[in-house]
Amino acid sequence: MAAAMLAPTLPLEARTHKGDKFYAEGKLHEDKKEWDAALESYRKAAEEDPSDILYQMGCDRARFQASQMHVDLARRIRSEGRLGEALLELQKAYVINPGSIAAGQELAATNEMILRERQRVQETGRESPPEIRALTPYEEAQRREGERIGRLLALPELKPPDPSPIDQLHISGQMTKKVFESIGKLAGISVLFDPEYVEPSKPLTIDLQKTTVEEALDYVAAITKSYWKALSSNAILVVNDNPNKRRDYEEMVTKVFYLQNLTLATELQEVQQILRTGCEIQRVFQYTAGWSLVVRGEADRVELCEKLLRDIDKPKSEVVVDVLVMDATSSFSRQITAAVASTGLNVPATFNPRASIQVQGNTAAGSTTSSTGTTTGTTTGTTTGTTTTSSSSTSGTSIPLSNLGHISSADFATTLPGALLQAALSDSRSRVLQAPQIRAVDSIKSTMNIGERVPVATGSYQPGIATGVGVSGLVNTQFSYQDVGVNVELLARVVEGNEIYMTLKLDVSQIDGYQTQGGADGVSEPIFGQRKIQEDLRVKEGDVALIGGVTKQQDDLTVTGIPGLSKIPFFGKLFSGKSEDRSTDEMMVVLIPHIIRRPEYTADNLRAVAVGTAQSISLRHAPSQPLDIHVDGEIPARVEYAPVAPGAAAAAPFPAGIATAPPATAPPSALAPPATAPPATAPPATAPPATAPPSASAPQAPAARIRFNPLQMETGVNGVVAVSVVMEGGQDVSSAPMAIHFDPKLLRLDDVTAGGFLASDGQTPVLNKDIRNDTGAATVLLARPPGLHGVSGPGGVLVNLSFQTLGAGSTEVAITSVSVRDSQGQPIAVGSPASLKLSIH
């Protein structure tokens, strides 16, 4: 009855059974990312009990996610040009969460896009393409700005109507202007002269053969100390070559260079200094946040800056070093004893006289006893007094001389030796292997600490304290922290010959104990056991380098027993004991470096270029080379572009068998099939073009084979797998594009580098790679430079692959397609490449 009476006054539980049901439904929808349904369920739960904070939190969370989901969906729809549908989605997002700033901004932008499209329809009478409709107001402004910037003209380049070389040019006894004008008439270009141009007084004699127009003009300009520049594709201006005229007529250009491989601000400053000194250009400004340089100067100087930056801005080398710290400790103890008095003979004899032979009353040798008495008076109180009585007795072994005759064996005691049987053996071994792996970029220090940080007292001070007041010494003690465990500092640099120069600091430490400093109230300081190694060494990639080792061995032998008796043959073991102790401690530190990335220096990076004289910088360009047409990852024969007469239709520059589909019908890149999966109707990669001559008329090339090396490997997780794709056999091999597939869950392809097969004659091959680790696909285009013969031989390495293992399991790396061609563009038959089998533990 009391409980029933008190029940109405108690606060009711906030949550309800029906509300919990709706909340559980909302959780299920939330797990499935169904945010609209989750918001509806949470809202119903909150309506059942508005005071439940858990229901309110579910509503707020689902409201935000549902609104953001509609905003993201609207952005995707709007990117396809469907503005009306995107507007509806944004309105839903704004209704769900009116506080969403993103929904309000996107809604306003979409309304503006719709108004812009309506105005465009009214002006032009037709809709814009979807990609134009999908541009936001900001993107539309950027597009217009980009169009205007794209209309900026570059430096004029001389393009004579007849670019063919001049077979023979002989001019004798003519003045400078006549020589320039004669060359211009042969090439079909106009020659203009500076009004202040002064020609040399002596006539010229020119005799040139097989010379292009630009080369002929350069020759005449060098002889006459003149300078010419292109005003348009068919007109040039000739002026006297002096600093004043160069300053008046040389074109100034501004260019931004984006540097992709610099990591330090000091490197950007060094590059800036190189351009200012090496190119003699002063207007170089750095933008550190964007890792870029803004350069303004004469056209040749800026072009020289571009050449230098292409040579300098290379990805740095990277290495992975396996550090193995192996420690082996063993201890052995053996004790064997089966004897009487194994530790020697020790028989004491003690004298304990009986009481009957001891004499009382010896004051000198006696002891003093005390007695206390008390007398109590009824009138004056209580009086206490002390009375002392002296008595004498023998103490210890003291007896009168008169009792010497009464001494017997009963007054003496001794301890007889016992027998011992002991056989104990202790053998313990411990092995510790610490194998950290550290990755470092060339010339940048890498640090790795594996272990703990231990506090260590570094100093203290004690302020003045009043007498009688004590304060703990720990109050004013300062502490620092020391790393305990495996600490590695590595500074590596990759040098020629696949060798690595390393500066290594290795510290392997542990706590061996503690020691109190400063008395009972002092600080307990740890005692560190350290093994430090600091080395500067040069190691070849993959070599096992032993950089340190310690071997400690201790043997202890202990023999105890009775002198003399322990030396008796055979029976001496009954009177002796023997104990053996042996301990061994060995430690070894090993390094195994691996190069996983190297800068790709091409022949263009290593060659020297002519930059003019000490007074002025001027560059000369060779005639443009014929272009190569790349189709489906293959490199066909070179294509020559013939001059086209004005008004005539240009012929398709594609080789036979390739120009069957015009470029306009090519699918957009977003809808293009993956490079690793050719169309189902595509012919085999080794099939010749449709218009190629029958294979019977061409000599049969010897059979070739492409495979992985090795074909099987076992490794661990987070390891580096280095494999090669090799070719066995083959004649006149010029290109070998291939597609590689791997499991992205277990492997990540870090780098692809060219092998030595196509570079066996010293010519660096061209390598283009497209690595897509998200889908596990890579496309590699490998070919020799245009115009060179192919490579023949027993075989060699085409490319080197460097993988990083991500998880455990068994997987395969396969070459899904490969097309080997000779220098004439004809296919070379190869067998189906075998896949690489990997077992990752």
Side-chain angles (χ1 to χ4, degrees), residues 86-107:
L87 182 64
L88 293 178
E89 293 294 334
L90 290 172
Q91 289 174 347
K92 293 179 183 178
Y94 191 79
V95 169
I96 292 175
N97 185 12
S100 175
I101 298 177
Q105 292 177 342
E106 297 294 339
L107 189 60

Side-chain angles (χ1 to χ4, degrees), residues 351-381:
F351 178 59
N352 295 317
R354 293 165 293 166
S356 58
I357 63 175
Q358 296 181 5
V359 178
Q360 302 293 330
N362 189 347
T363 305
S367 60
T368 302
T369 60
S370 300
S371 62
T372 303
T374 304
T375 304
T376 305
T378 59
T379 304
T380 59

Side-chain angles (χ1 to χ4, degrees), residues 211-267:
T211 306
T212 62
V213 176
E214 291 87 350
E215 291 175 342
L217 293 174
D218 289 337
Y219 293 155
V220 177
I223 295 174
T224 60
K225 295 183 179 181
S226 302
Y227 160 68
W228 69 272
K229 58 172 290 186
L231 298 178
S232 64
S233 61
N234 59 355
I236 64 172
L237 174 67
V238 180
V239 298
N240 292 116
D241 192 2
N242 56 64
N244 293 332
K245 292 299 180 180
R246 285 271 184 178
R247 185 168 54 252
D248 293 339
Y249 286 103
E250 273 194 327
E251 295 284 350
M252 300 287 289
V253 295
T254 300
K255 190 169 184 179
V256 180
F257 297 99
Y258 298 95
L259 306 178
Q260 304 296 327
N261 299 293
L262 302 186
T263 56
L264 301 176
T266 55
E267 296 176 340

Side-chain angles (χ1 to χ4, degrees), residues 218-505:
D218 289 337
Y219 293 155
V220 177
I223 295 174
T224 60
K225 295 183 179 181
S226 302
Y227 160 68
W228 69 272
K229 58 172 290 186
L231 298 178
S232 64
S233 61
N234 59 355
I236 64 172
L237 174 67
V238 180
V239 298
N240 292 116
D241 192 2
N242 56 64
N244 293 332
K245 292 299 180 180
R246 285 271 184 178
R247 185 168 54 252
D248 293 339
Y249 286 103
E250 273 194 327
E251 295 284 350
M252 300 287 289
V253 295
T254 300
K255 190 169 184 179
V256 180
F257 297 99
Y258 298 95
L259 306 178
Q260 304 296 327
N261 299 293
L262 302 186
T263 56
L264 301 176
T266 55
E267 296 176 340
L268 193 61
Q269 296 174 359
E270 292 175 359
V271 172
Q272 182 181 8
Q273 186 64 28
I274 290 174
L275 298 185
R276 286 180 174 176
T277 305
C279 302
E280 298 180 3
I281 189 168
Q282 299 300 322
R283 298 177 180 88
V284 182
F285 312 97
Q286 68 178 21
Y287 177 50
T288 307
W291 295 103
S292 57
L293 293 174
V294 181
V295 180
R296 180 178 181 271
E298 293 82 356
D300 287 345
R301 298 176 189 268
V302 174
E303 190 171 358
L304 181 59
C305 291
E306 183 175 6
K307 168 66 171 62
L308 293 181
L309 290 178
R310 285 179 179 269
D311 297 341
I312 294 174
D313 189 24
K314 296 286 186 180
K316 297 180 180 179
S317 301
E318 294 187 44
V319 298
V320 171
V321 180
D322 297 326
V323 183
L324 305 180
V325 182
M326 294 169 282
D327 193 354
T329 304
S330 64
S331 62
F332 176 82
S333 177
R334 181 174 62 183
Q335 297 178 355
I336 300 177
T337 303
V340 177
S342 60
T343 60
L345 189 60
N346 185 9
V347 182
T350 59
F351 178 59
N352 295 317
R354 293 165 293 166
S356 58
I357 63 175
Q358 296 181 5
V359 178
Q360 302 293 330
N362 189 347
T363 305
S367 60
T368 302
T369 60
S370 300
S371 62
T372 303
T374 304
T375 304
T376 305
T378 59
T379 304
T380 59
T382 303
T383 302
T384 302
T386 301
T387 304
T388 301
T389 305
S390 297
S391 63
S392 177
S393 64
T394 61
S395 62
T397 59
S398 299
I399 61 173
L401 294 177
S402 59
N403 292 339
L404 290 177
H406 299 286
I407 295 175
S408 65
S409 60
D411 298 318
F412 294 89
T414 186
T415 302
L416 296 178
L420 175 64
L421 176 62
Q422 182 179 10
L425 178 65
S426 175
D427 189 1
S428 63
R429 291 181 176 87
S430 64
R431 289 177 173 83
V432 179
L433 173 63
Q434 295 174 329
Q437 189 180 68
I438 184 170
R439 180 169 178 169
V441 180
D442 192 287
S443 301
I444 296 180
K445 185 175 72 172
S446 296
T447 303
M448 179 175 62
N449 300 320
I450 302 175
E452 301 174 345
R453 291 178 60 88
V454 179
V456 179
T458 56
S460 62
Y461 65 92
Q462 186 71 30
I465 302 175
T467 305
V469 180
V471 179
S472 173
L474 296 177
V475 174
N476 299 306
T477 302
Q478 295 112 26
F479 291 89
S480 63
Y481 287 84
Q482 182 169 339
D483 294 323
V484 177
V486 179
N487 305 310
V488 183
E489 288 186 6
L490 176 66
L491 180 65
R493 181 172 179 268
V494 179
V495 295
E496 289 295 332
N498 289 336
E499 292 187 349
I500 305 167
Y501 181 82
M502 292 181 291
T503 298
L504 177 73
K505 293 182 181 180

Side-chain angles (χ1 to χ4, degrees), residues 142-174:
Q142 280 190 322
R143 183 185 69 84
R144 293 179 179 177
E145 185 70 19
E147 287 183 352
R148 186 169 65 254
I149 295 176
R151 291 195 299 269
L152 293 176
L153 297 178
L155 290 177
E157 182 179 357
L158 185 63
K159 295 181 180 180
D162 186 5
S164 59
I166 302 174
D167 292 336
Q168 186 173 3
L169 175 63
H170 179 75
I171 301 175
S172 178
Q174 296 292 337

Side-chain angles (χ1 to χ4, degrees), residues 712-716 721 837-841:
Q712 294 182 355
M713 290 186 67
E714 291 187 4
T715 184
V721 177
K837 297 182 179 180
L838 279 176
S839 179
I840 306 173
H841 304 292

